[in-house]
Amino acid sequence: MAEEKLENEALKGLNPEQKMAVLTTLGPVLIVAGAGAGKTKTITHRILHLIKEGVAPSQILAITFTNKAAKEMRERITHLLTENRALNFPVAHTEVPFVSTFHSLGVYLLKENCQLLGLPRHFSIFDKSDSLRLIKEILKELDINPKQFEPSKILNIISREKSDLTTVENFSGQATKNAYSLAGVTAKVWRLYEDKKRAEKALDFDDLLLQSYLLLKKYPEILVYYQKRWLYLHVDEYQDTNKVQYMLTRLLAEKNRTICVVGDIDQNIYSWRGADIGNLLNFEKDYPEAKIIKLEQNYRSTQTIIAAANEVIKKNKMRLEKNLFTKKEEGKKITVFEAGNEIEEARYLAREAKRLQAEEKVKLSEIAVLYRANFQSRVIEEAMIAESVPYQLLGTKFFERKEVKDILSFLRAALNPDSLTDLKRIINVPARGLGKVTILKVFSGQRADLPPLVKQKVDSFFNLLVEIKNKIEKEKPTEVIKFIITGSGLEKELMDGTEEDKEDLENMKELATLAHKYNHLPLGEGIEKLLEEASLQSDQDELKETEEAVKLMTVHSAKGLEFDYVFITGLEEDLFPHQKLGAQRIGQAEEEEERRLFYVALTRAREKLYLSYAEIRTIFGSQIFNSRSRFFADIDENLLEKEEQFEFREKIIYLDI
DNA sequence: CTATTCTCGCTTTTT
DNA sequence: GCGAGAATAG
C-alpha cells in the first residue's frame, strides 16, 4: 500500500524501461519534459528512490528555481519518508536532503567559508535598490550625468557580466577603449562599486553565485569536500540556468557524474537574466554517457488547453520538436473577453470569479489572474475590492516595503557596523533632525566636530544600535523587533499619525509576527535566518496561504504553479507580447520568448482558460489604443468562444479631477 | 542645516 | 498618478 503511494503520477506515463532509467541510473540523466508532465515530482521521486536504496539523505543536493518550490519539495520528501518508515527505509530521521535555490546555496557556501574569504559571518546582502543607490552615489562622485549614463543600465550590464562569469578585472581589461562610452563608464563605476561594497562587508545578488563559483574554483580542496559531501545532484528548471549557475553545477557534478536535471526549453522565460537554453541542449556533450528521457504526457490540463498551448508554441522556430498530449477529457472552451478598457476588463474578471464561486462551486483559491507586468495589478485589485471578491496579491514583496526595510536595516546595522547603506537609511528614522550634511560628516569621521546638540542625537542613535545588538544576543527575534519598534520611537511617532502611518506600523508588527517562526533557533541565529530570508525574497505569502482568495500574479511568478481556472489578461500588442516603450518592433528572439511566456501562462490551467484584452488602456495616465495580441491568431477558432454577456459592458463613469 | 513642497520622468519580467 | 530628487521655506 505504502509502496503504491510512492508511485508518482509522472512516472506512470513512462514505459518500464524509461522508468528504470529515471530511478536507477546513477550516471547523468536529462529529463526533457513538457508543462504539467510532473518534472518536479520526478525529481522528488528519484530522491526518494535513492534514499530507499540506502543513500544517506545528507548526500543528496537538489536545486530548485524558487524558495517556495524548495520548501514544497522538502515537505514532500519529509512527508513521504515518514509515511514509508514502515517499509524500513534505512534512514535516520534527523537527515534531510539539502534542497535550496542556487542563491541560498551560495549563501550557505559563502557563510561556511567566510573566514577564508575575509567576510564576516553577518555579511549584508544588497538588493537591487541598494546597488542602485550605491551606483548613483558613485556617478555623483565621478561627476557623471546620470541622464547620459543611466544607473539602472549600468547595473544591468554589471549584473549580466557577473552572471557570465566576468569579473571587474576582466571587464576593465576589455573596455579600455573609450572612457566616455557606456562600457568605459561602466568599467570605472564597477570598480568603485566593488570597492565600496567590500568596505561595507556586503555582497550583491550576483556575488552570491559568482563568489561561490570563484571559491570552488580557487580552492580545489574545498571543491573536493563538497563533491564528497553531495554525491547526488538534482537541478530543476535547468533551462533557466545562467552561466554561473551552470558552471557551479558542473563543478559540483563533474567528479561523481551523478547528476539529474529536468527542463523544458519551451518554458525558458528568463533569457533576459542570462538564462541560456544551451546549458540544457549541451547536456549530452557535457556528459556523453547521459541518459535522455522525454516526458510528453501532460497530467494537468484538458485537451482544449493542451491543443491551444501546442498550437501557440509550434510557431516558435528555435525549439526541439515536442508534442504534449493528455488523456484528460476535452474540457471547456477558452473564453475570450474583449473589454472597452482596463477597468471593464478588471470588473469582468472580478464578477466572473464571483460567479464561478457562487454557481459552479469553484474555490476562489483555485482561480488565478495572470498579467504581464506588475502595474496591471492595480486596476484588478480595485475591481476586486469594488466587487468584494477576496484576493491575494502575490509578488508584492512584503520585505520590499519601506517600513519593513527600515526595521531590517536596524538589524543589519546592529550586526554589521560597516554597512553604510543601512546606517544611512535609518539614521534619521524616525526623524531625529539629522539631515544630509550631518550624515556626510558622521560618515567621514568628523563625528567629534559636530555641534553638541547634534552630536548628542547622533550618539543616542549609535547607542540604540548597541542596545539592539545586545538584544539580538539575549532575546528571541520577535522580542528584538518589538524592541526596535518601541525603542527607536517609531511606535510613538506612527501611532498618532495618519492612516498610512498606522498601516506602516502594522506591517512592522507583522514582521515581528513573521519572526516568530525563528524563535526556536539558538539566540542570534534566528535573526540571521530572518535577514537571509528577507534578502533572498523568499515567499512570505505562505502566511496567508489558508485564505480563500483569488490569486493575482505575473506570468513569470506563476511558473511552476497550477490552478483550475486561469485568467490571462492584458493580451494586447506591446503589452503581451511586451515591447519596450519607444523601441522598434520586437525582434524574432524577443517574440519567441514572449510566446514561451504565453505558453507558460496557458499551461497553468487545469480546467478552463479565460483570455482578455482591452481596446483602450491607460498607461502613465494617458489613453493608449491597442490591437489585440498577435497570439490570438495562433489559436484555432474552434477552441475559443466569445464572451457575449453585455451586462459587463456598462458605461464607465470617468471622474473628472 | 533641516523640513516641506513641487516637479519631472517613469514601468517588463525576478532570484 | 506615484515616488524620488530638486527647489524653497523655515
Side-chain angles (χ1 to χ4, degrees), chain A residues 128 160 171 200 230 348 409 484 567:
Chain A
K128 202 178 165 183
R160 274 301 289 274
F171 189 78
E200 289 199 27
W230 293 311
Y348 168 70
S409 280
I484 294 173
F567 292 85

Side-chain angles (χ1 to χ4, degrees), chain A residues 239 241 264-265 268 275-282 318 596:
Chain A
Q239 79 282 352
T241 51
D264 176 5
I265 60 165
N268 167 268
D276 182 3
I277 49 168
N279 297 154
L280 194 139
L281 297 174
N282 287 331
M318 295 182 290
R596 287 193 294 271

Side-chain angles (χ1 to χ4, degrees), chain A residues 265-307:
Chain A
I265 60 165
D266 290 335
Q267 289 190 68
N268 167 268
I269 53 174
Y270 283 97
S271 57
W272 49 274
R273 197 171 90 178
D276 182 3
I277 49 168
N279 297 154
L280 194 139
L281 297 174
N282 287 331
F283 192 83
E284 283 175 89
K285 275 190 202 135
D286 293 336
Y287 307 93
E289 73 275 34
K291 279 235 162 69
I292 317 287
I293 293 153
K294 242 185 183 181
L295 303 178
E296 290 183 313
Q297 180 170 358
N298 173 294
Y299 293 90
R300 180 184 296 158
S301 317
T302 64
Q303 280 179 31
T304 304
I305 294 167
I306 294 302

Side-chain angles (χ1 to χ4, degrees), chain A residues 68-268:
Chain A
K68 195 175 176 187
K71 196 183 161 206
E72 278 170 14
M73 192 182 281
R74 269 194 300 267
E75 279 169 1
R76 196 172 159 76
I77 291 170
T78 316
H79 173 77
L80 286 169
L81 281 180
T82 333
E83 201 166 79
N84 288 283
R85 189 125 302 146
L87 287 173
N88 297 321
F89 266 66
V91 184
H93 36 267
T94 44
E95 289 190 0
V96 189
F98 194 108
V99 185
S100 81
T101 60
F102 273 107
H103 287 86
S104 301
L105 176 67
V107 172
Y108 183 84
L109 292 174
L110 296 175
K111 278 205 173 158
E112 261 198 1
N113 298 282
C114 57
Q115 291 120 316
L116 197 65
L117 297 159
L119 277 170
R121 215 187 139 67
H122 294 290
F123 59 79
S124 306
I125 300 171
F126 271 6
D127 66 12
K128 202 178 165 183
S129 69
D130 293 329
S131 300
L132 213 56
R133 193 172 310 178
L134 199 55
I135 286 178
K136 280 180 191 166
E137 205 180 291
I138 293 166
L139 286 176
K140 212 169 213 175
E141 275 172 30
L142 291 174
D143 209 21
I144 294 170
N145 182 1
K147 272 172 198 154
Q148 197 181 350
F149 297 101
E150 291 168 45
S152 61
K153 267 193 189 150
I154 296 174
L155 181 60
N156 266 342
I157 296 173
I158 296 175
S159 178
R160 274 301 289 274
E161 290 293 338
K162 281 186 173 182
S163 321
D164 269 349
L165 295 179
T166 313
T167 56
V168 215
E169 290 79 15
N170 299 340
F171 189 78
S172 314
Q174 295 164 19
T176 39
K177 325 123 199 172
N178 185 355
Y180 297 100
S181 66
L182 183 57
V185 170
T186 303
K188 226 190 284 175
V189 173
W190 190 354
R191 180 72 265 167
L192 288 166
Y193 171 72
E194 290 297 329
D195 295 345
K196 281 181 185 254
K197 190 154 52 64
R198 179 143 270 268
E200 289 199 27
K201 306 276 196 304
L203 294 177
D204 68 18
F205 242 70
D206 305 296
D207 289 333
L208 297 178
L209 304 173
L210 182 59
Q211 297 304 325
S212 297
Y213 168 77
L214 294 173
L215 171 84
L216 298 183
K217 191 85 190 154
K218 191 171 167 193
Y219 302 100
E221 65 283 5
I222 292 182
L223 175 61
V224 169
Y225 168 78
Y226 288 111
Q227 284 171 338
K228 281 190 182 152
R229 176 152 165 199
W230 293 311
L231 290 172
Y232 300 92
L233 222 62
H234 303 82
V235 185
D236 200 359
E237 309 279 15
Y238 197 66
Q239 79 282 352
D240 280 325
T241 51
N242 60 27
K243 196 163 176 190
V244 212
Q245 294 169 329
Y246 164 75
M247 290 304 284
L248 205 53
T249 311
R250 243 181 84 168
L251 279 183
L252 289 171
E254 72 189 355
K255 188 156 164 285
N256 307 313
R257 308 180 83 76
T258 43
I259 178 173
C260 169
V261 304
V262 188
D264 176 5
I265 60 165
D266 290 335
Q267 289 190 68
N268 167 268

Side-chain angles (χ1 to χ4, degrees), chain A residues 15-33:
Chain A
N15 63 45
E17 197 189 336
Q18 288 174 312
K19 197 191 255 172
M20 288 307 280
V22 179
L23 295 179
T24 62
T25 308
L26 290 184
V29 181
L30 165 65
I31 301 169
V32 191

